[in-house]
Amino acid sequence: MLLHMFLILHLQVLVMASSSSSEEDGSSERDDEHSKGSSHQHQWGYHDQDTWSSAFEHCSGKSQSPIDIDTHKVFYDPRLPPIKLEGYDLTGSPALTLINNGHTLQLSLPSSMRIMRGFDHVYVAAQLHFHWGTTEVPGSEHTIDNIHFPAEIHVVHYNSKYANLTEAASKADGLAVLGGFIGIGLHENDNYEKILSALTDISIEESDTEIPGFNVRHLLPNSLERFYRYNGSLTTPPCFQTVSWSLFNDSIRVSRRQLAALEDTLKTEHNKLLSKNFRAPQLLHGRKVLASFHTVSTMGKPREAPQPETQDNNVMKTSGGEWHILAITFGVLFAITFLVFSMYTYQQKKKYSKFKKDSKQNVIYKPAAIGKDIDQTSVTIT
Ligand SMILES: *[C@@H]1O[C@H](CO)[C@@H](O)[C@H](O)[C@H]1NC(C)=O
Ligand SMILES: *[C@@H]1O[C@H](CO)[C@@H](O)[C@H](O)[C@H]1NC(C)=O
Ligand SMILES: *[C@@H]1O[C@H](CO)[C@@H](O)[C@H](O)[C@H]1NC(C)=O
Ligand SMILES: [Zn+2]
């Protein structure tokens, strides 16, 4: 439904600058259907995503979404502010509209839901939606080290300095989307059931229903502290490159049965199953992916976000300096050891040659060999 809303929004932006006041719901979708006759370009599907850019120029831009998150290449950025949500704990009424728009399952959200901290502006929630695959094919849009999760949730927010989602969608700082990966767990997820239990009511394309409000925060992972951040786009036409993405490292779990319900219930055009509604990962084109936490790779060798005037760079210099000090210390220690050993050897040799003069016996210790061992050790240290 959210995805649907998202799509509808995009279409709205293109098709009609001034639409009715109850935007982003079934009515606008139907308007869009009407406009198809005159402007063929608004039809698109996941089967022909290679051709999106012929009708939607932004889709071939250099900051497209989704992407693969290579956890070995993300930059730890301790300055990323924590994400603070407000108003997510909705009560039973007013009800929320859940829609099957033919592209996704989308839930409309009230503007009382906001991201208060984490960005330069307050961002207002508009809708949430899902991407999924089939029982055989995992269908998250973003991938982690080239691995898809079974499904992905997107909560779409727009910058509060704009009047609405439609207006914000084409602005550089217009959108902030929170993304969560959905995996399979042993237990039923009661929070997701609040949406999934209504699926059978909207199996037909372009249908909607009302569900009681609930705490939407519970659709997101338990921990919002660890997230990736990058600049990207809408993952559906018109692919505007106006999204600040936040993808949570902690994932969400639903039962196998619940995931199957998402994958097997909704129908799209020609009564076909609505599934595999995910776009393939797009090229980074030099974009950086930041992380609010240390990944496995950043713990080994810090890859801090390259930014000017920073404590972080100082931290890196400090640790680099410490390493040098360590190396020098070892070097000096070795030199002293070697010196002492050499002197000792020299003295012993003198004693020995004396002794040799006295008795012609052959001898006991091998300073050369020992010296060689030490040399090898020193190579390793240096
Ligand atoms: C969004 O805001 C713009 C600018 O205020 C307005 O022209 C437009 O009608 C609004 N769209 C919707 C769908 O409310
Ligand atoms: C996203 O773009 C803005 C504006 O260019 C920039 O200030 C910010 O650092 C970028 N964020 C990331 C994560 O690259
Ligand atoms: C979360 O971070 C850990 C540590 O880097 C990584 O192994 C794991 O794949 C990440 N999962 C997601 C969903 O980002
Ligand atoms: Zn989406």
Side-chain angles (χ1 to χ4, degrees), residues 77 80 120 172-173 228-232 243-245 287-291 307:
D77 185 352
L80 276 177
D120 289 344
D173 58 355
Y228 308 101
R229 168 73 50 79
Y230 81 98
N231 288 333
V243 180
S244 180
W245 281 96
R287 279 176 290 171
K288 297 223 166 355
V289 179
L290 308 180
Q307 282 173 22

Side-chain angles (χ1 to χ4, degrees), residues 3 67 78 210 214 236 242 272 288:
L3 182 58
I67 57 166
E210 306 263 290
F214 61 100
T236 57
T242 58
K272 284 190 308 192
K288 297 223 166 355

